[in-house]
PDB file of all heavy atoms in Angstrom:
ATOM      1  N   ARG M  79       4.646   4.781  -1.705  1.00  0.00           N
ATOM      2  CA  ARG M  79       4.793   4.659  -3.151  1.00  0.00           C
ATOM      3  C   ARG M  79       6.164   4.077  -3.447  1.00  0.00           C
ATOM      4  O   ARG M  79       7.052   4.049  -2.583  1.00  0.00           O
ATOM      5  CB  ARG M  79       4.654   6.013  -3.847  1.00  0.00           C
ATOM      6  CG  ARG M  79       5.610   7.070  -3.329  1.00  0.00           C
ATOM      7  CD  ARG M  79       5.602   8.320  -4.174  1.00  0.00           C
ATOM      8  NE  ARG M  79       6.397   8.162  -5.373  1.00  0.00           N
ATOM      9  CZ  ARG M  79       7.003   9.170  -6.009  1.00  0.00           C
ATOM     10  NH1 ARG M  79       6.893  10.400  -5.543  1.00  0.00           N
ATOM     11  NH2 ARG M  79       7.710   8.946  -7.085  1.00  0.00           N
ATOM     12  N   ASN M  80       6.326   3.600  -4.653  1.00  0.00           N
ATOM     13  CA  ASN M  80       7.631   3.157  -5.113  1.00  0.00           C
ATOM     14  C   ASN M  80       8.471   4.405  -5.358  1.00  0.00           C
ATOM     15  O   ASN M  80       8.148   5.219  -6.237  1.00  0.00           O
ATOM     16  CB  ASN M  80       7.480   2.338  -6.401  1.00  0.00           C
ATOM     17  CG  ASN M  80       8.796   1.748  -6.879  1.00  0.00           C
ATOM     18  OD1 ASN M  80       9.872   2.223  -6.533  1.00  0.00           O
ATOM     19  ND2 ASN M  80       8.712   0.710  -7.675  1.00  0.00           N
ATOM     20  N   MET M 101       5.808   0.639   6.247  1.00  0.00           N
ATOM     21  CA  MET M 101       6.925   0.343   5.364  1.00  0.00           C
ATOM     22  C   MET M 101       6.384   0.257   3.941  1.00  0.00           C
ATOM     23  O   MET M 101       5.352  -0.356   3.705  1.00  0.00           O
ATOM     24  CB  MET M 101       7.579  -0.992   5.765  1.00  0.00           C
ATOM     25  CG  MET M 101       8.812  -1.374   4.979  1.00  0.00           C
ATOM     26  SD  MET M 101       9.436  -3.020   5.509  1.00  0.00           S
ATOM     27  CE  MET M 101       9.647  -2.755   7.260  1.00  0.00           C
ATOM     28  N   ALA M 102       7.066   0.903   2.997  1.00  0.00           N
ATOM     29  CA  ALA M 102       6.689   0.826   1.587  1.00  0.00           C
ATOM     30  C   ALA M 102       7.813   0.140   0.825  1.00  0.00           C
ATOM     31  O   ALA M 102       8.975   0.569   0.903  1.00  0.00           O
ATOM     32  CB  ALA M 102       6.425   2.214   1.015  1.00  0.00           C
ATOM     33  N   LEU M 103       7.464  -0.927   0.120  1.00  0.00           N
ATOM     34  CA  LEU M 103       8.457  -1.734  -0.577  1.00  0.00           C
ATOM     35  C   LEU M 103       8.134  -1.769  -2.067  1.00  0.00           C
ATOM     36  O   LEU M 103       7.003  -2.052  -2.461  1.00  0.00           O
ATOM     37  CB  LEU M 103       8.450  -3.168  -0.038  1.00  0.00           C
ATOM     38  CG  LEU M 103       8.740  -3.334   1.450  1.00  0.00           C
ATOM     39  CD1 LEU M 103       8.366  -4.737   1.894  1.00  0.00           C
ATOM     40  CD2 LEU M 103      10.208  -3.057   1.724  1.00  0.00           C
ATOM     41  N   PRO M 104       9.134  -1.485  -2.937  1.00  0.00           N
ATOM     42  CA  PRO M 104       8.890  -1.639  -4.377  1.00  0.00           C
ATOM     43  C   PRO M 104       8.749  -3.110  -4.723  1.00  0.00           C
ATOM     44  O   PRO M 104       9.485  -3.952  -4.203  1.00  0.00           O
ATOM     45  CB  PRO M 104      10.132  -1.021  -5.014  1.00  0.00           C
ATOM     46  CG  PRO M 104      11.204  -1.137  -3.975  1.00  0.00           C
ATOM     47  CD  PRO M 104      10.508  -1.030  -2.645  1.00  0.00           C
ATOM     48  N   ILE M 105       7.790  -3.438  -5.574  1.00  0.00           N
ATOM     49  CA  ILE M 105       7.636  -4.826  -6.008  1.00  0.00           C
ATOM     50  C   ILE M 105       8.270  -4.985  -7.386  1.00  0.00           C
ATOM     51  O   ILE M 105       8.452  -4.009  -8.110  1.00  0.00           O
ATOM     52  CB  ILE M 105       6.160  -5.274  -5.988  1.00  0.00           C
ATOM     53  CG1 ILE M 105       5.311  -4.458  -6.953  1.00  0.00           C
ATOM     54  CG2 ILE M 105       5.595  -5.176  -4.577  1.00  0.00           C
ATOM     55  CD1 ILE M 105       3.862  -4.921  -7.015  1.00  0.00           C
ATOM     56  N   ARG M 114       5.396  -0.311  -9.169  1.00  0.00           N
ATOM     57  CA  ARG M 114       4.368  -0.666  -8.193  1.00  0.00           C
ATOM     58  C   ARG M 114       5.002  -0.877  -6.818  1.00  0.00           C
ATOM     59  O   ARG M 114       6.210  -1.063  -6.686  1.00  0.00           O
ATOM     60  CB  ARG M 114       3.636  -1.928  -8.632  1.00  0.00           C
ATOM     61  CG  ARG M 114       3.091  -1.877 -10.056  1.00  0.00           C
ATOM     62  CD  ARG M 114       1.959  -0.880 -10.204  1.00  0.00           C
ATOM     63  NE  ARG M 114       1.492  -0.761 -11.569  1.00  0.00           N
ATOM     64  CZ  ARG M 114       0.214  -0.751 -11.915  1.00  0.00           C
ATOM     65  NH1 ARG M 114      -0.717  -0.882 -10.992  1.00  0.00           N
ATOM     66  NH2 ARG M 114      -0.142  -0.606 -13.177  1.00  0.00           N
ATOM     67  N   SER M 115       4.158  -0.894  -5.781  1.00  0.00           N
ATOM     68  CA  SER M 115       4.700  -1.025  -4.427  1.00  0.00           C
ATOM     69  C   SER M 115       3.750  -1.810  -3.538  1.00  0.00           C
ATOM     70  O   SER M 115       2.583  -2.036  -3.871  1.00  0.00           O
ATOM     71  CB  SER M 115       4.963   0.354  -3.810  1.00  0.00           C
ATOM     72  OG  SER M 115       3.758   1.079  -3.656  1.00  0.00           O
ATOM     73  N   LEU M 116       4.280  -2.218  -2.402  1.00  0.00           N
ATOM     74  CA  LEU M 116       3.539  -2.899  -1.334  1.00  0.00           C
ATOM     75  C   LEU M 116       3.637  -2.027  -0.094  1.00  0.00           C
ATOM     76  O   LEU M 116       4.736  -1.703   0.355  1.00  0.00           O
ATOM     77  CB  LEU M 116       4.145  -4.275  -1.063  1.00  0.00           C
ATOM     78  CG  LEU M 116       3.601  -5.046   0.143  1.00  0.00           C
ATOM     79  CD1 LEU M 116       2.154  -5.475  -0.098  1.00  0.00           C
ATOM     80  CD2 LEU M 116       4.479  -6.266   0.444  1.00  0.00           C
ATOM     81  N   LEU M 117       2.496  -1.636   0.463  1.00  0.00           N
ATOM     82  CA  LEU M 117       2.478  -0.841   1.688  1.00  0.00           C
ATOM     83  C   LEU M 117       2.107  -1.732   2.859  1.00  0.00           C
ATOM     84  O   LEU M 117       1.108  -2.449   2.814  1.00  0.00           O
ATOM     85  CB  LEU M 117       1.460   0.302   1.553  1.00  0.00           C
ATOM     86  CG  LEU M 117       1.239   1.162   2.812  1.00  0.00           C
ATOM     87  CD1 LEU M 117       2.518   1.863   3.236  1.00  0.00           C
ATOM     88  CD2 LEU M 117       0.113   2.175   2.563  1.00  0.00           C
ATOM     89  N   PHE M 118       2.917  -1.684   3.898  1.00  0.00           N
ATOM     90  CA  PHE M 118       2.685  -2.448   5.127  1.00  0.00           C
ATOM     91  C   PHE M 118       2.393  -1.475   6.254  1.00  0.00           C
ATOM     92  O   PHE M 118       3.100  -0.471   6.438  1.00  0.00           O
ATOM     93  CB  PHE M 118       3.907  -3.288   5.463  1.00  0.00           C
ATOM     94  CG  PHE M 118       3.936  -3.846   6.864  1.00  0.00           C
ATOM     95  CD1 PHE M 118       2.895  -4.621   7.347  1.00  0.00           C
ATOM     96  CD2 PHE M 118       5.015  -3.599   7.702  1.00  0.00           C
ATOM     97  CE1 PHE M 118       2.917  -5.134   8.639  1.00  0.00           C
ATOM     98  CE2 PHE M 118       5.062  -4.115   8.987  1.00  0.00           C
ATOM     99  CZ  PHE M 118       4.008  -4.880   9.457  1.00  0.00           C
ATOM    100  N   PHE M 131      -1.559  -5.150   4.673  1.00  0.00           N
ATOM    101  CA  PHE M 131      -0.778  -4.927   3.452  1.00  0.00           C
ATOM    102  C   PHE M 131      -1.722  -4.474   2.336  1.00  0.00           C
ATOM    103  O   PHE M 131      -2.805  -5.029   2.166  1.00  0.00           O
ATOM    104  CB  PHE M 131      -0.063  -6.206   3.024  1.00  0.00           C
ATOM    105  CG  PHE M 131       0.957  -6.694   4.010  1.00  0.00           C
ATOM    106  CD1 PHE M 131       0.569  -7.444   5.117  1.00  0.00           C
ATOM    107  CD2 PHE M 131       2.304  -6.405   3.852  1.00  0.00           C
ATOM    108  CE1 PHE M 131       1.502  -7.901   6.029  1.00  0.00           C
ATOM    109  CE2 PHE M 131       3.249  -6.859   4.766  1.00  0.00           C
ATOM    110  CZ  PHE M 131       2.850  -7.613   5.853  1.00  0.00           C
ATOM    111  N   TYR M 151       6.823 -12.395  -4.525  1.00  0.00           N
ATOM    112  CA  TYR M 151       7.578 -11.419  -3.740  1.00  0.00           C
ATOM    113  C   TYR M 151       6.755 -10.939  -2.546  1.00  0.00           C
ATOM    114  O   TYR M 151       7.259 -10.865  -1.418  1.00  0.00           O
ATOM    115  CB  TYR M 151       7.957 -10.226  -4.623  1.00  0.00           C
ATOM    116  CG  TYR M 151       8.602  -9.086  -3.865  1.00  0.00           C
ATOM    117  CD1 TYR M 151       9.963  -9.100  -3.587  1.00  0.00           C
ATOM    118  CD2 TYR M 151       7.846  -8.006  -3.401  1.00  0.00           C
ATOM    119  CE1 TYR M 151      10.558  -8.059  -2.878  1.00  0.00           C
ATOM    120  CE2 TYR M 151       8.428  -6.972  -2.690  1.00  0.00           C
ATOM    121  CZ  TYR M 151       9.782  -7.008  -2.434  1.00  0.00           C
ATOM    122  OH  TYR M 151      10.367  -5.998  -1.721  1.00  0.00           O
ATOM    123  N   GLN M 155       7.541 -11.354   1.482  1.00  0.00           N
ATOM    124  CA  GLN M 155       7.666 -10.228   2.409  1.00  0.00           C
ATOM    125  C   GLN M 155       6.750 -10.396   3.611  1.00  0.00           C
ATOM    126  O   GLN M 155       7.135 -10.124   4.751  1.00  0.00           O
ATOM    127  CB  GLN M 155       7.353  -8.909   1.685  1.00  0.00           C
ATOM    128  CG  GLN M 155       8.340  -8.544   0.594  1.00  0.00           C
ATOM    129  CD  GLN M 155       9.755  -8.449   1.109  1.00  0.00           C
ATOM    130  OE1 GLN M 155      10.019  -7.806   2.135  1.00  0.00           O
ATOM    131  NE2 GLN M 155      10.683  -9.084   0.408  1.00  0.00           N
ATOM    132  N   LEU M 159       7.872 -10.585   7.533  1.00  0.00           N
ATOM    133  CA  LEU M 159       7.456  -9.533   8.457  1.00  0.00           C
ATOM    134  C   LEU M 159       6.509 -10.028   9.549  1.00  0.00           C
ATOM    135  O   LEU M 159       6.459  -9.449  10.640  1.00  0.00           O
ATOM    136  CB  LEU M 159       6.772  -8.399   7.686  1.00  0.00           C
ATOM    137  CG  LEU M 159       7.694  -7.522   6.842  1.00  0.00           C
ATOM    138  CD1 LEU M 159       6.888  -6.686   5.853  1.00  0.00           C
ATOM    139  CD2 LEU M 159       8.534  -6.619   7.740  1.00  0.00           C
TER     140      LEU M 159
END
Side-chain angles (χ1 to χ4, degrees):
R79 55 171 280 208
N80 185 338
M101 184 183 304
L103 301 166
I105 62 177
R114 308 292 176 134
S115 64
L116 173 68
L117 175 62
F118 165 56
F131 296 82
Y151 173 84
Q155 295 303 312
L159 288 165

